[in-house]
mmCIF file of all heavy atoms in Angstrom:
data_model
loop_
_atom_site.group_PDB
_atom_site.id
_atom_site.type_symbol
_atom_site.label_atom_id
_atom_site.label_comp_id
_atom_site.label_asym_id
_atom_site.label_seq_id
_atom_site.Cartn_x
_atom_site.Cartn_y
_atom_site.Cartn_z
ATOM 1 N N LEU V 1 -171.122 -169.548 -50.454
ATOM 2 C CA LEU V 1 -170.190 -169.311 -49.370
ATOM 3 C C LEU V 1 -168.818 -169.895 -49.685
ATOM 4 O O LEU V 1 -168.791 -171.022 -50.333
ATOM 5 C CB LEU V 1 -170.687 -169.975 -48.062
ATOM 6 C CG LEU V 1 -172.060 -169.492 -47.500
ATOM 7 C CD1 LEU V 1 -172.520 -170.392 -46.374
ATOM 8 C CD2 LEU V 1 -171.934 -168.076 -47.036
ATOM 9 N N PRO V 2 -167.724 -169.220 -49.320
ATOM 10 C CA PRO V 2 -166.426 -169.773 -49.626
ATOM 11 C C PRO V 2 -166.185 -171.074 -48.887
ATOM 12 O O PRO V 2 -166.607 -171.231 -47.703
ATOM 13 C CB PRO V 2 -165.438 -168.679 -49.210
ATOM 14 C CG PRO V 2 -166.239 -167.859 -48.193
ATOM 15 C CD PRO V 2 -167.637 -167.946 -48.636
ATOM 16 N N PHE V 3 -165.419 -171.971 -49.509
ATOM 17 C CA PHE V 3 -165.219 -173.324 -48.924
ATOM 18 C C PHE V 3 -163.739 -173.698 -49.019
ATOM 19 O O PHE V 3 -163.166 -173.528 -50.102
ATOM 20 C CB PHE V 3 -166.071 -174.399 -49.641
ATOM 21 C CG PHE V 3 -165.863 -175.722 -49.110
ATOM 22 C CD1 PHE V 3 -166.440 -176.152 -47.895
ATOM 23 C CD2 PHE V 3 -165.125 -176.691 -49.861
ATOM 24 C CE1 PHE V 3 -166.201 -177.461 -47.412
ATOM 25 C CE2 PHE V 3 -164.943 -177.943 -49.367
ATOM 26 C CZ PHE V 3 -165.463 -178.360 -48.187
ATOM 27 N N GLY V 4 -163.150 -174.194 -47.950
ATOM 28 C CA GLY V 4 -161.786 -174.622 -47.952
ATOM 29 C C GLY V 4 -161.264 -174.703 -46.538
ATOM 30 O O GLY V 4 -161.965 -174.407 -45.597
ATOM 31 N N GLY V 5 -160.006 -175.131 -46.411
ATOM 32 C CA GLY V 5 -159.478 -175.405 -45.062
ATOM 33 C C GLY V 5 -158.142 -174.728 -44.827
ATOM 34 O O GLY V 5 -157.616 -174.007 -45.640
ATOM 35 N N ILE V 6 -157.617 -175.001 -43.602
ATOM 36 C CA ILE V 6 -156.304 -174.599 -43.173
ATOM 37 C C ILE V 6 -155.541 -175.826 -42.703
ATOM 38 O O ILE V 6 -156.058 -176.968 -42.686
ATOM 39 C CB ILE V 6 -156.355 -173.492 -42.103
ATOM 40 C CG1 ILE V 6 -157.120 -174.020 -40.817
ATOM 41 C CG2 ILE V 6 -157.053 -172.248 -42.575
ATOM 42 C CD1 ILE V 6 -157.081 -173.088 -39.691
ATOM 43 N N LYS V 7 -154.353 -175.571 -42.265
ATOM 44 C CA LYS V 7 -153.473 -176.681 -41.810
ATOM 45 C C LYS V 7 -153.392 -177.782 -42.874
ATOM 46 O O LYS V 7 -153.313 -177.431 -44.103
ATOM 47 C CB LYS V 7 -153.944 -177.276 -40.458
ATOM 48 C CG LYS V 7 -153.874 -176.164 -39.323
ATOM 49 C CD LYS V 7 -154.025 -176.708 -37.953
ATOM 50 C CE LYS V 7 -155.402 -177.059 -37.542
ATOM 51 N NZ LYS V 7 -155.540 -177.425 -36.075
ATOM 52 N N LYS V 8 -153.455 -179.038 -42.538
ATOM 53 C CA LYS V 8 -153.338 -180.091 -43.527
ATOM 54 C C LYS V 8 -154.671 -180.369 -44.297
ATOM 55 O O LYS V 8 -154.740 -181.341 -45.086
ATOM 56 C CB LYS V 8 -152.800 -181.370 -42.893
ATOM 57 C CG LYS V 8 -151.342 -181.236 -42.495
ATOM 58 C CD LYS V 8 -150.749 -182.568 -42.044
ATOM 59 C CE LYS V 8 -149.272 -182.459 -41.760
ATOM 60 N NZ LYS V 8 -148.679 -183.735 -41.331
ATOM 61 N N SER V 9 -155.620 -179.452 -44.134
ATOM 62 C CA SER V 9 -156.844 -179.585 -44.920
ATOM 63 C C SER V 9 -156.759 -178.768 -46.252
ATOM 64 O O SER V 9 -157.715 -178.747 -47.030
ATOM 65 C CB SER V 9 -158.020 -179.095 -44.112
ATOM 66 O OG SER V 9 -158.354 -180.033 -43.083
ATOM 67 N N GLY V 10 -155.619 -178.207 -46.497
ATOM 68 C CA GLY V 10 -155.399 -177.514 -47.773
ATOM 69 C C GLY V 10 -155.272 -176.050 -47.770
ATOM 70 O O GLY V 10 -155.201 -175.445 -46.634
ATOM 71 N N PHE V 11 -155.334 -175.421 -48.912
ATOM 72 C CA PHE V 11 -155.249 -173.928 -49.010
ATOM 73 C C PHE V 11 -156.033 -173.451 -50.275
ATOM 74 O O PHE V 11 -156.243 -174.249 -51.189
ATOM 75 C CB PHE V 11 -153.844 -173.394 -49.046
ATOM 76 C CG PHE V 11 -152.915 -174.117 -50.003
ATOM 77 C CD1 PHE V 11 -152.972 -173.888 -51.321
ATOM 78 C CD2 PHE V 11 -151.968 -174.995 -49.525
ATOM 79 C CE1 PHE V 11 -152.119 -174.472 -52.216
ATOM 80 C CE2 PHE V 11 -151.088 -175.668 -50.382
ATOM 81 C CZ PHE V 11 -151.195 -175.352 -51.750
ATOM 82 N N GLY V 12 -156.377 -172.197 -50.231
ATOM 83 C CA GLY V 12 -157.202 -171.696 -51.310
ATOM 84 C C GLY V 12 -158.675 -171.856 -50.989
ATOM 85 O O GLY V 12 -159.030 -172.509 -50.011
ATOM 86 N N ARG V 13 -159.495 -171.265 -51.762
ATOM 87 C CA ARG V 13 -160.990 -171.352 -51.583
ATOM 88 C C ARG V 13 -161.710 -171.646 -52.830
ATOM 89 O O ARG V 13 -161.324 -171.237 -53.904
ATOM 90 C CB ARG V 13 -161.529 -170.059 -50.949
ATOM 91 C CG ARG V 13 -161.066 -169.774 -49.527
ATOM 92 C CD ARG V 13 -161.632 -170.784 -48.523
ATOM 93 N NE ARG V 13 -161.190 -170.633 -47.194
ATOM 94 C CZ ARG V 13 -160.159 -171.252 -46.631
ATOM 95 N NH1 ARG V 13 -159.418 -172.029 -47.380
ATOM 96 N NH2 ARG V 13 -159.884 -171.080 -45.340
ATOM 97 N N GLU V 14 -162.754 -172.447 -52.668
ATOM 98 C CA GLU V 14 -163.671 -172.762 -53.767
ATOM 99 C C GLU V 14 -165.018 -172.078 -53.452
ATOM 100 O O GLU V 14 -165.266 -171.718 -52.304
ATOM 101 C CB GLU V 14 -163.830 -174.268 -53.960
ATOM 102 C CG GLU V 14 -162.594 -175.005 -54.400
ATOM 103 C CD GLU V 14 -162.808 -176.454 -54.592
ATOM 104 O OE1 GLU V 14 -162.948 -177.192 -53.587
ATOM 105 O OE2 GLU V 14 -162.861 -176.849 -55.780
ATOM 106 N N LEU V 15 -165.857 -171.942 -54.467
ATOM 107 C CA LEU V 15 -167.203 -171.435 -54.359
ATOM 108 C C LEU V 15 -167.218 -169.920 -54.001
ATOM 109 O O LEU V 15 -166.190 -169.330 -53.675
ATOM 110 C CB LEU V 15 -168.005 -172.219 -53.273
ATOM 111 C CG LEU V 15 -168.121 -173.726 -53.665
ATOM 112 C CD1 LEU V 15 -168.919 -174.467 -52.602
ATOM 113 C CD2 LEU V 15 -168.774 -173.970 -55.024
ATOM 114 N N SER V 16 -168.371 -169.295 -54.062
ATOM 115 C CA SER V 16 -168.581 -167.887 -53.881
ATOM 116 C C SER V 16 -167.759 -167.052 -54.858
ATOM 117 O O SER V 16 -167.146 -167.612 -55.795
ATOM 118 C CB SER V 16 -168.324 -167.481 -52.395
ATOM 119 O OG SER V 16 -166.945 -167.229 -52.193
ATOM 120 N N TYR V 17 -167.674 -165.793 -54.673
ATOM 121 C CA TYR V 17 -166.833 -164.934 -55.553
ATOM 122 C C TYR V 17 -165.340 -165.226 -55.328
ATOM 123 O O TYR V 17 -164.554 -165.001 -56.275
ATOM 124 C CB TYR V 17 -167.181 -163.459 -55.312
ATOM 125 C CG TYR V 17 -166.654 -162.884 -54.086
ATOM 126 C CD1 TYR V 17 -165.417 -162.239 -53.973
ATOM 127 C CD2 TYR V 17 -167.442 -162.940 -52.895
ATOM 128 C CE1 TYR V 17 -164.916 -161.770 -52.779
ATOM 129 C CE2 TYR V 17 -166.987 -162.435 -51.710
ATOM 130 C CZ TYR V 17 -165.726 -161.810 -51.662
ATOM 131 O OH TYR V 17 -165.305 -161.303 -50.466
ATOM 132 N N LEU V 18 -165.008 -165.647 -54.126
ATOM 133 C CA LEU V 18 -163.605 -166.013 -53.943
ATOM 134 C C LEU V 18 -163.148 -167.182 -54.748
ATOM 135 O O LEU V 18 -161.952 -167.241 -55.217
ATOM 136 C CB LEU V 18 -163.350 -166.269 -52.398
ATOM 137 C CG LEU V 18 -163.556 -165.094 -51.479
ATOM 138 C CD1 LEU V 18 -163.470 -165.574 -50.044
ATOM 139 C CD2 LEU V 18 -162.515 -164.004 -51.759
ATOM 140 N N GLY V 19 -164.028 -168.149 -54.903
ATOM 141 C CA GLY V 19 -163.675 -169.340 -55.711
ATOM 142 C C GLY V 19 -163.429 -169.083 -57.156
ATOM 143 O O GLY V 19 -162.504 -169.554 -57.755
ATOM 144 N N ILE V 20 -164.237 -168.189 -57.746
ATOM 145 C CA ILE V 20 -164.082 -167.888 -59.192
ATOM 146 C C ILE V 20 -162.848 -167.043 -59.417
ATOM 147 O O ILE V 20 -162.272 -167.043 -60.522
ATOM 148 C CB ILE V 20 -165.345 -167.241 -59.743
ATOM 149 C CG1 ILE V 20 -165.377 -167.348 -61.316
ATOM 150 C CG2 ILE V 20 -165.471 -165.792 -59.303
ATOM 151 C CD1 ILE V 20 -166.635 -166.931 -61.962
ATOM 152 N N ARG V 21 -162.414 -166.352 -58.381
ATOM 153 C CA ARG V 21 -161.250 -165.476 -58.565
ATOM 154 C C ARG V 21 -159.883 -166.207 -58.242
ATOM 155 O O ARG V 21 -158.793 -165.646 -58.402
ATOM 156 C CB ARG V 21 -161.314 -164.247 -57.592
ATOM 157 C CG ARG V 21 -162.441 -163.327 -58.000
ATOM 158 C CD ARG V 21 -162.514 -162.137 -57.060
ATOM 159 N NE ARG V 21 -163.606 -161.234 -57.430
ATOM 160 C CZ ARG V 21 -163.928 -160.073 -56.779
ATOM 161 N NH1 ARG V 21 -163.243 -159.799 -55.639
ATOM 162 N NH2 ARG V 21 -164.921 -159.328 -57.154
ATOM 163 N N GLU V 22 -159.990 -167.479 -57.938
ATOM 164 C CA GLU V 22 -158.738 -168.233 -57.662
ATOM 165 C C GLU V 22 -157.979 -168.462 -58.998
ATOM 166 O O GLU V 22 -156.726 -168.459 -58.999
ATOM 167 C CB GLU V 22 -159.061 -169.592 -57.028
ATOM 168 C CG GLU V 22 -159.418 -169.544 -55.570
ATOM 169 C CD GLU V 22 -158.208 -169.359 -54.620
ATOM 170 O OE1 GLU V 22 -157.076 -169.159 -55.167
ATOM 171 O OE2 GLU V 22 -158.389 -169.373 -53.404
ATOM 172 N N PHE V 23 -158.682 -168.691 -60.095
ATOM 173 C CA PHE V 23 -158.066 -169.015 -61.352
ATOM 174 C C PHE V 23 -158.275 -167.936 -62.388
ATOM 175 O O PHE V 23 -158.778 -168.177 -63.512
ATOM 176 C CB PHE V 23 -158.525 -170.365 -61.845
ATOM 177 C CG PHE V 23 -158.111 -171.484 -60.958
ATOM 178 C CD1 PHE V 23 -159.109 -172.317 -60.374
ATOM 179 C CD2 PHE V 23 -156.795 -171.707 -60.596
ATOM 180 C CE1 PHE V 23 -158.702 -173.341 -59.521
ATOM 181 C CE2 PHE V 23 -156.392 -172.719 -59.741
ATOM 182 C CZ PHE V 23 -157.400 -173.577 -59.167
ATOM 183 N N VAL V 24 -157.943 -166.696 -62.007
ATOM 184 C CA VAL V 24 -157.940 -165.569 -62.934
ATOM 185 C C VAL V 24 -156.608 -164.780 -62.716
ATOM 186 O O VAL V 24 -156.045 -164.830 -61.635
ATOM 187 C CB VAL V 24 -159.189 -164.651 -62.758
ATOM 188 C CG1 VAL V 24 -160.417 -165.400 -63.190
ATOM 189 C CG2 VAL V 24 -159.263 -164.126 -61.348
ATOM 190 N N ASN V 25 -156.289 -164.001 -63.714
ATOM 191 C CA ASN V 25 -155.216 -163.037 -63.531
ATOM 192 C C ASN V 25 -155.812 -161.780 -63.009
ATOM 193 O O ASN V 25 -156.610 -161.068 -63.643
ATOM 194 C CB ASN V 25 -154.516 -162.737 -64.859
ATOM 195 C CG ASN V 25 -153.470 -161.613 -64.783
ATOM 196 O OD1 ASN V 25 -153.056 -161.327 -63.684
ATOM 197 N ND2 ASN V 25 -153.158 -161.018 -65.897
ATOM 198 N N ILE V 26 -155.524 -161.446 -61.722
ATOM 199 C CA ILE V 26 -155.990 -160.228 -61.083
ATOM 200 C C ILE V 26 -155.080 -159.106 -61.509
ATOM 201 O O ILE V 26 -153.991 -158.934 -60.917
ATOM 202 C CB ILE V 26 -156.109 -160.419 -59.558
ATOM 203 C CG1 ILE V 26 -157.004 -161.619 -59.212
ATOM 204 C CG2 ILE V 26 -156.653 -159.139 -58.914
ATOM 205 C CD1 ILE V 26 -157.051 -161.934 -57.782
ATOM 206 N N LYS V 27 -155.496 -158.386 -62.500
ATOM 207 C CA LYS V 27 -154.587 -157.426 -63.126
ATOM 208 C C LYS V 27 -154.910 -156.012 -62.750
ATOM 209 O O LYS V 27 -156.039 -155.583 -62.682
ATOM 210 C CB LYS V 27 -154.768 -157.546 -64.669
ATOM 211 C CG LYS V 27 -153.828 -156.566 -65.462
ATOM 212 C CD LYS V 27 -154.195 -156.576 -66.940
ATOM 213 C CE LYS V 27 -153.586 -157.884 -67.587
ATOM 214 N NZ LYS V 27 -153.746 -157.852 -69.043
ATOM 215 N N THR V 28 -153.824 -155.275 -62.328
ATOM 216 C CA THR V 28 -153.918 -153.871 -62.033
ATOM 217 C C THR V 28 -153.696 -153.042 -63.325
ATOM 218 O O THR V 28 -152.702 -153.271 -64.018
ATOM 219 C CB THR V 28 -152.955 -153.446 -60.969
ATOM 220 O OG1 THR V 28 -153.239 -154.118 -59.749
ATOM 221 C CG2 THR V 28 -152.949 -151.951 -60.715
ATOM 222 N N ILE V 29 -154.586 -152.076 -63.588
ATOM 223 C CA ILE V 29 -154.387 -151.159 -64.721
ATOM 224 C C ILE V 29 -154.338 -149.752 -64.163
ATOM 225 O O ILE V 29 -155.262 -149.310 -63.474
ATOM 226 C CB ILE V 29 -155.516 -151.290 -65.744
ATOM 227 C CG1 ILE V 29 -155.437 -152.754 -66.416
ATOM 228 C CG2 ILE V 29 -155.355 -150.264 -66.868
ATOM 229 C CD1 ILE V 29 -156.530 -152.985 -67.378
ATOM 230 N N TRP V 30 -153.234 -149.075 -64.385
ATOM 231 C CA TRP V 30 -153.027 -147.710 -63.917
ATOM 232 C C TRP V 30 -152.915 -146.713 -65.073
ATOM 233 O O TRP V 30 -152.155 -146.985 -66.040
ATOM 234 C CB TRP V 30 -151.690 -147.698 -63.106
ATOM 235 C CG TRP V 30 -151.384 -146.433 -62.339
ATOM 236 C CD1 TRP V 30 -151.550 -146.225 -61.009
ATOM 237 C CD2 TRP V 30 -150.752 -145.236 -62.843
ATOM 238 N NE1 TRP V 30 -151.107 -144.983 -60.627
ATOM 239 C CE2 TRP V 30 -150.630 -144.355 -61.766
ATOM 240 C CE3 TRP V 30 -150.306 -144.853 -64.100
ATOM 241 C CZ2 TRP V 30 -150.036 -143.118 -61.893
ATOM 242 C CZ3 TRP V 30 -149.726 -143.582 -64.225
ATOM 243 C CH2 TRP V 30 -149.567 -142.733 -63.144
ATOM 244 N N ILE V 31 -153.711 -145.696 -65.042
ATOM 245 C CA ILE V 31 -153.742 -144.737 -66.140
ATOM 246 C C ILE V 31 -153.402 -143.310 -65.604
ATOM 247 O O ILE V 31 -154.079 -142.836 -64.718
ATOM 248 C CB ILE V 31 -155.119 -144.685 -66.783
ATOM 249 C CG1 ILE V 31 -155.515 -146.118 -67.246
ATOM 250 C CG2 ILE V 31 -155.192 -143.709 -67.957
ATOM 251 C CD1 ILE V 31 -157.012 -146.255 -67.695
ATOM 252 N N GLY V 32 -152.418 -142.704 -66.255
ATOM 253 C CA GLY V 32 -152.002 -141.380 -65.840
ATOM 254 C C GLY V 32 -152.761 -140.271 -66.654
ATOM 255 O O GLY V 32 -153.439 -140.567 -67.591
ATOM 256 N N LEU V 33 -152.527 -139.080 -66.248
ATOM 257 C CA LEU V 33 -153.204 -137.946 -66.947
ATOM 258 C C LEU V 33 -152.639 -137.782 -68.361
ATOM 259 O O LEU V 33 -151.443 -137.965 -68.543
ATOM 260 C CB LEU V 33 -153.019 -136.626 -66.165
ATOM 261 C CG LEU V 33 -153.962 -136.398 -64.925
ATOM 262 C CD1 LEU V 33 -153.446 -135.247 -64.115
ATOM 263 C CD2 LEU V 33 -155.365 -136.234 -65.406
ATOM 264 N N VAL V 34 -153.461 -137.407 -69.302
ATOM 265 C CA VAL V 34 -153.032 -137.147 -70.598
ATOM 266 C C VAL V 34 -152.859 -135.654 -70.797
ATOM 267 O O VAL V 34 -153.716 -134.836 -70.330
ATOM 268 C CB VAL V 34 -154.038 -137.662 -71.672
ATOM 269 C CG1 VAL V 34 -153.581 -137.297 -73.081
ATOM 270 C CG2 VAL V 34 -154.179 -139.189 -71.516
ATOM 271 N N ALA V 35 -151.712 -135.224 -71.364
ATOM 272 C CA ALA V 35 -151.458 -133.774 -71.541
ATOM 273 C C ALA V 35 -152.528 -133.166 -72.519
ATOM 274 O O ALA V 35 -152.800 -133.782 -73.539
ATOM 275 C CB ALA V 35 -150.092 -133.516 -72.093
#
């Protein structure tokens, strides 16, 4: 389960899939049609 707070308890989330995605480059890759 994601873990973290709001207000003066902080920001961001640890644990669950949200936690592992905090410290990655979430990269978009867009590919167009090839002639």
Side-chain angles (χ1 to χ4, degrees):
L1 300 171
F3 178 77
I6 60 173
K7 300 194 279 189
K8 289 189 176 181
S9 289
F11 49 74
R13 290 295 179 266
E14 294 183 285
L15 302 178
S16 84
Y17 72 93
L18 293 173
I20 199 170
R21 292 180 182 178
E22 285 284 5
F23 296 122
V24 294
N25 175 20
I26 303 175
K27 180 185 286 185
T28 295
I29 297 178
W30 188 100
I31 304 170
L33 281 169
V34 177

